[in-house]
Amino acid sequence: MKRPFIDKEQAEEIIKTYPTPFHIYDEKGIRENARALRQAFSWNDGYKEYFAVKATPNPTILKILHEEGCGLDCSSMAELELASRCGITGENIMFSSNVTPPAEFTRCRDLGGIINLDDITHIEMCREALGGTLPEVMSCRFNPGGVFTLGDSAEGFQVMDNPGDAKYGMTESQIIEAYRTLSSYGVKRLGIHAFLASNTLSNDYYPALAKILFRLVVKIRKETGIKLSFVNLSGGVGIAYKPEDTANDIAVIGAKVREVYNEVLTPEGMDDIAIYTELGRFMLAPYGHLVKTATNEKHTYKEYIGVDACAADLMRPAMYGAYHHITVLGKEEAPCDHVYDVTGCLCENNDKFAVDRRLPAIDRGDILVIHDTGAHGYSMGYNYNGRLRSAELLLGEDGSVKLIRRRETLDDYFATLDGFWDT
Ligand SMILES: *Cc1c(COP(=O)(O)O)cnc(C)c1O
C-alpha cells in the first residue's frame, strides 16, 4: 500500500494558505534517499551524483541536493543558468545535452562545467565555439545500438529499451576516435557516459550498463593508450509507481556495480576510476505529490471525477499513459469499490490522471494526492488552454511548509506579449 507523506489534517491546514492544486516535496525523504545513494557508492572514492535538473528544476530542491553532495546534470542554457544562480559551478556541473547550440558550450565552459559530447561532430563545433581551446576535462556519450534487454524469462523481459533507435550518443568506433582526437587537442581527463534504458525496475540495470562501459574502458586503453578518468552511468534507475511494483534497492545496486568494477577494472589496474550517476526520477519522484481537490462529478457512459489540476500540472499520464497512484485523503482505509476516470479540465480527452481506476467513493471537496510527481512532474508543465502552472511547496524536515515557487498568474501568461497592448 502506498502511503502519502501528508495526511488529511496536514493537507487541510496547508490549503488554508496555499489553495489546491500544488506540488509538495518532502525534504526529509529527499535527504534520506540522497544519503542512501551516497552510501551505496561510498566504496568508490570519486563517486558523485549529478542530479538531472530537468526532473525538478527548483532552486530550493537543487540546493538541498547540493548540500547532500550532489552536483547537477544540465542540458540547456536555462539549466546552466539555474545552476549558476544556485552557486553550483565548476565540476559540480555535468552538461549532457544534444543538438547543442554553440552558446551553451561557451556558457558551460565559463562556469567550469564538464561538457559531455553527444556526437563526434560536436568536437569541432565545441572547439570552434570555445575559440580553439577545449577544457581540461570532457566526456563522450556512448550508444551501443541494437536493443538493450535484461532478465529474459517466460513473462518476457524485465527491462527492454531501444538504444539503436535513440538519437543520443556515438558508436563504438566513433567514440574511440573521439578520445584520440580530444586527447590530441590536449584534453587531460576524459569520461564516458551512456543512458540505455529509462525507469528500470531492476537492481541489474546499472550493473549491466557498468559492465558494458567498463569493458569498453579497457578496450579504449588497449587500442589508444588513453585511460579514462570517470564512468557516468547516467539516469534510468526507476521507482515503484504502482503499489504492486517492487522498488529498486540502491544498496544492492551499488554493491553489484562494485562487483563488476572489481571484476573488470581492478585486474587492469584501473581501480581509481570514478563512478558518476545522473539520476533524476530516483532522486525525487517518490518525494513529490500533486495535491488537488475533487471539484466536479459526471455520470454518463462512465463515472468521472473532475479535479482542479490538469495535464498542465502533470503531463505523464496524458503523454505516456503513465500510472500514478491516487490516494483520497481521509479515505485511506475505505474500500476501493468505485471505478472512476479522474480528469482535468483541458479540452483534450487524454487529460486523465486515471482511467477506470478503482477508488473509494469520492465526494466533491475531497482532497486527492497523486503520488510520485516529484520528478518529471511540475517540470513538464505547460500552458495549453491557457492553464496556469501550480505552486511548488516544500514540507520541511521540521514539519513546516514553505512556498518554493508561487503559482503562475495571468500576468505571467501575458508577459511575452509585452508592448502589444500599447499599440
Ligand atoms: C533525463 C536524463 C537523466 C535522468 O533520467 P532519470 O530517468 O530521471 O533518472 C540523466 N541524464 C540524462 C542525459 C538525461 O537526459
Side-chain angles (χ1 to χ4, degrees):
M1 185 164 166
K2 284 176 89 83
R3 289 251 172 217
F5 55 76
I6 54 169
D7 61 20
K8 187 172 181 227
E9 285 65 40
Q10 266 173 304
E12 283 172 344
E13 197 53 41
I14 295 167
I15 287 168
K16 286 180 192 162
T17 315
Y18 308 109
T20 56
F22 54 80
H23 284 272
I24 186 165
Y25 305 100
D26 173 23
E27 179 178 5
K28 185 161 176 282
I30 294 169
R31 287 189 188 275
E32 283 174 1
N33 183 61
R35 284 172 201 168
L37 172 69
R38 226 168 116 124
Q39 180 60 33
F41 286 91
S42 58
W43 54 267
N44 183 257
D45 284 342
Y47 173 73
K48 193 174 186 76
E49 152 72 4
Y50 288 88
F51 175 64
V53 172
K54 72 165 190 260
T56 323
N58 184 295
T60 303
I61 301 290
L62 302 183
K63 285 185 162 187
I64 289 171
L65 289 169
H66 187 53
E67 282 169 21
E68 297 299 337
C70 302
L72 301 180
D73 166 40
C74 302
S75 61
S76 67
M77 185 63 96
E79 290 177 6
L80 287 169
E81 191 57 35
L82 195 46
S84 163
R85 292 188 191 196
C86 287
I88 303 171
T89 58
E91 287 187 27
N92 281 307
I93 295 177
M94 182 68 65
F95 184 55
S96 297
S97 66
N98 69 97
V99 192
T100 312
E104 298 185 5
F105 286 131
T106 319
R107 185 74 178 121
C108 181
R109 189 266 322 266
D110 292 347
L111 291 171
I114 304 172
I115 296 171
N116 181 27
L117 296 171
D118 180 63
D119 192 61
I120 190 159
T121 60
H122 282 190
I123 298 176
E124 291 308 327
M125 283 177 63
C126 184
R127 211 163 76 99
E128 209 172 294
L130 302 186
T133 314
L134 291 174
E136 279 209 358
V137 190
M138 293 194 86
S139 173
C140 293
R141 184 165 184 165
F142 174 56
N143 183 335
V147 175
F148 177 84
T149 57
L150 265 186
D152 186 6
S153 74
E155 296 85 57
F157 295 109
Q158 211 180 353
V159 172
M160 180 166 166
D161 226 312
N162 204 345
D165 213 23
K167 64 174 175 170
Y168 313 105
M170 311 181 201
T171 67
E172 185 174 300
S173 60
Q174 287 173 338
I175 208 168
I176 292 174
E177 192 189 328
Y179 289 124
R180 281 203 179 99
T181 307
L182 291 170
S183 206
S184 75
Y185 285 149
V187 179
K188 299 265 179 314
R189 279 188 291 140
L190 285 159
I192 190 165
H193 166 281
F195 191 164
L196 304 188
S198 198
N199 190 26
T200 58
L201 263 192
S202 164
N203 292 331
D204 294 323
Y205 169 63
Y206 257 8
L209 169 64
K211 189 168 258 182
I212 293 171
L213 293 180
F214 294 164
R215 284 180 172 163
L216 186 51
V217 166
V218 172
K219 184 169 180 183
I220 288 163
R221 197 184 55 180
K222 286 209 169 100
E223 292 199 6
T224 67
I226 297 165
K227 187 186 157 231
L228 299 191
S229 302
F230 58 88
V231 173
N232 184 344
L233 301 176
S234 186
V237 174
I239 63 136
Y241 283 104
K242 295 181 179 163
E244 66 269 26
D245 287 342
T246 308
N248 287 319
D249 185 334
I250 200 65
V252 172
I253 292 174
K256 286 187 172 197
V257 172
R258 183 184 197 172
E259 277 174 32
V260 182
Y261 190 98
N262 288 339
E263 179 193 319
V264 182
L265 292 179
T266 309
E268 299 289 332
M270 293 199 270
D271 58 357
D272 55 352
I273 292 185
I275 303 294
Y276 296 160
T277 54
E278 278 176 357
L279 296 169
R281 191 187 314 272
F282 181 81
M283 301 306 285
L284 249 299
Y287 313 108
H289 291 333
L290 174 61
V291 181
K292 56 202 189 177
T293 304
T295 51
N296 295 69
E297 57 186 297
K298 178 162 178 151
H299 318 277
T300 52
Y301 307 103
K302 296 182 94 169
E303 291 294 297
Y304 294 101
I305 291 294
V307 294
D308 58 3
C310 66
D313 303 295
L314 175 70
M315 208 203 266
R316 298 185 72 255
M319 189 161 170
Y320 317 115
Y323 180 96
H324 279 266
H325 198 65
I326 296 178
T327 298
V328 185
L329 293 182
K331 296 183 176 175
E332 286 84 349
E333 310 301 332
C336 292
D337 53 4
H338 285 61
V339 175
Y340 293 116
D341 280 15
V342 178
T343 79
C345 56
L346 296 188
C347 302
E348 271 292 341
N349 197 40
N350 63 357
D351 183 18
K352 294 181 177 180
F353 290 109
V355 175
D356 298 332
R357 184 75 59 85
R358 298 194 70 83
L359 288 163
I362 296 175
D363 300 300
R364 265 180 285 155
D366 277 349
I367 306 166
L368 273 59
V369 161
I370 292 237
H371 290 251
D372 304 314
T373 63
H376 313 298
Y378 179 91
S379 62
M380 285 172 86
Y382 62 130
N383 283 128
Y384 193 55
N385 261 185
R387 290 294 157 188
L388 304 175
R389 270 166 289 214
S390 58
E392 291 181 291
L393 310 178
L394 181 73
L395 175 64
E397 284 190 292
D398 58 0
S400 65
V401 173
K402 197 166 84 182
L403 182 68
I404 59 173
R405 189 195 305 267
R406 67 159 170 82
R407 64 173 53 214
E408 286 178 345
T409 64
L410 278 177
D411 284 342
D412 296 320
Y413 186 77
F414 285 106
T416 45
L417 293 169
D418 264 358
F420 179 81
W421 312 108
D422 307 336
T423 54

